[in-house]
Amino acid sequence: MRILVGCEMTYEFPQPTPVIATLNVHASRFSDLERPDYLITSPAVPLDGYRDSFGNWCNRMVAPAGRFTLKTDTVVRDHGSGDTQVTDAQETAIEKLPSDSVLFLLGSRYCETDRLSDIAWDLFGHLPAGWSRVQAICDYVHDRITFGYEHARSTRTAYDVFEEQQGVCRDFAHLAITFCRCLNIPTRYCNGYVSDIGLPLPHAPGDFAAWMEVYLGGRWHTFDPRNNSSRIGRILIAYGRDAADVPLTLTFGANTLAGFRVTTEEAPTLS
């Protein structure tokens, strides 16, 4: 399957402003790209690319005053079978975890393990360890939290989500991530493209999405507490401890988002 992905984000800046953009497809999918997803700016400015501490590809730049647009697109070859389910995957004892996974057991800006630990153990501590317990966490979060773009708030933490019972996809992810970490299961926050391919019409306007990856059975597995179902064309951009580590754009000054478009759709098969 060929999937066209891309975005276009337009800002208004009152003065020259430093910006960091994390909008390129993650390196784990590079071999699936039909062409490089170069970041294009209008007007053109110098870009300084680098990898952050998690290995995500970022671009630094200084946006000029006025209207400024960031754009990227590519075609990704995908197996088209949705998220892999490994229902017999087991949890790994802490002392046997790889060292680079231990960071994803700790509390972070939006994932307050200290405030939710007792709640997590009360809700899920009695359940069989492994895939089924993580799925139970996703079921709980999916059923408890009401989704709505009108509920978006940049300061909402996992504990706030638990108390308020509403949010957007990043909030679903933060709460489920925190529950997993409280139960000693390494879990990391992911963002990227999730398509509506294979779902009945009408489809909502394109948007970026957040989900999580959980370390079970010696590897990372995808779970999506917001949709709580396997999705075709899930394409990773970045991962980190939570949303604070992987903002799509980080602007160091006043600005207004004047335009926002995300594309993720099936592309015609090449003859």
Side-chain angles (χ1 to χ4, degrees), residues 15-65:
Q15 61 189 27
T17 304
V19 176
I20 299 175
T22 307
L23 295 170
N24 297 97
V25 172
H26 191 264
S28 60
R29 298 299 302 266
F30 277 2
S31 62
D32 298 325
L33 304 188
E34 290 190 2
R35 62 175 185 270
D37 58 336
Y38 295 123
L39 182 64
I40 307 298
T41 70
S42 179
V45 298
L47 301 178
D48 179 15
Y50 70 97
R51 294 201 184 281
D52 68 11
S53 58
F54 299 99
N56 306 309
W57 187 252
C58 308
N59 281 288
R60 297 176 62 188
M61 69 206 77
V62 177

Side-chain angles (χ1 to χ4, degrees), residues 10-235:
T10 300
Y11 291 88
E12 294 282 354
F13 289 101
Q15 61 189 27
T17 304
V19 176
I20 299 175
T22 307
L23 295 170
N24 297 97
V25 172
H26 191 264
S28 60
R29 298 299 302 266
F30 277 2
S31 62
D32 298 325
L33 304 188
E34 290 190 2
R35 62 175 185 270
D37 58 336
Y38 295 123
L39 182 64
I40 307 298
T41 70
S42 179
V45 298
L47 301 178
D48 179 15
Y50 70 97
R51 294 201 184 281
D52 68 11
S53 58
F54 299 99
N56 306 309
W57 187 252
C58 308
N59 281 288
R60 297 176 62 188
M61 69 206 77
V62 177
R67 181 159 288 225
F68 183 68
T69 298
L70 301 161
K71 182 178 180 179
T72 183
D73 66 76
T74 189
V75 174
V76 183
R77 293 191 178 274
D78 191 82
H79 51 67
S81 57
D83 301 322
T84 302
Q85 308 287 308
V86 186
T87 56
D88 61 349
Q90 294 300 306
E91 296 174 22
T92 301
I94 294 176
E95 64 271 19
K96 295 182 179 179
L97 286 170
S99 296
D100 59 2
S101 72
V102 175
L103 175 66
F104 300 103
L105 288 175
L106 308 180
S108 55
R109 165 66 179 86
Y110 292 105
C111 299
E112 315 106 310
T113 52
D114 54 344
R115 302 189 74 185
L116 285 166
S117 181
D118 289 345
I119 294 169
W121 281 100
D122 287 344
L123 289 172
F124 310 109
H126 64 286
L127 298 178
W131 185 282
S132 62
R133 177 151 64 174
V134 176
Q135 186 57 59
I137 290 171
C138 290
D139 293 342
Y140 176 89
V141 172
H142 178 79
D143 295 342
R144 179 183 177 89
I145 308 305
T146 299
F147 178 87
Y149 288 110
E150 70 276 13
H151 303 318
R153 191 177 79 238
S154 62
T155 59
R156 182 182 288 115
T157 67
Y159 187 81
D160 294 334
V161 180
F162 179 78
E163 289 288 300
E164 298 170 13
Q165 301 184 41
Q166 62 185 23
V168 292
C169 58
R170 70 180 241 160
D171 301 311
F172 285 69
H174 284 151
L175 181 56
I177 287 167
T178 307
F179 281 150
C180 287
R181 290 181 187 170
C182 289
L183 297 171
N184 302 322
I185 308 170
T187 311
R188 60 194 189 190
Y189 177 95
C190 301
N191 65 28
Y193 299 97
V194 176
S195 79
D196 291 318
I197 295 170
L199 299 180
L201 295 170
H203 294 160
D207 196 0
F208 290 112
W211 62 91
M212 65 186 193
E213 290 181 348
V214 180
Y215 192 83
L216 295 170
R219 60 182 289 262
W220 294 97
H221 298 271
T222 295
F223 287 85
D224 184 347
R226 157 67 180 99
N227 295 299
N228 207 27
S229 62
S230 177
R231 302 299 287 267
I232 296 171
R234 188 185 303 276
I235 299 167

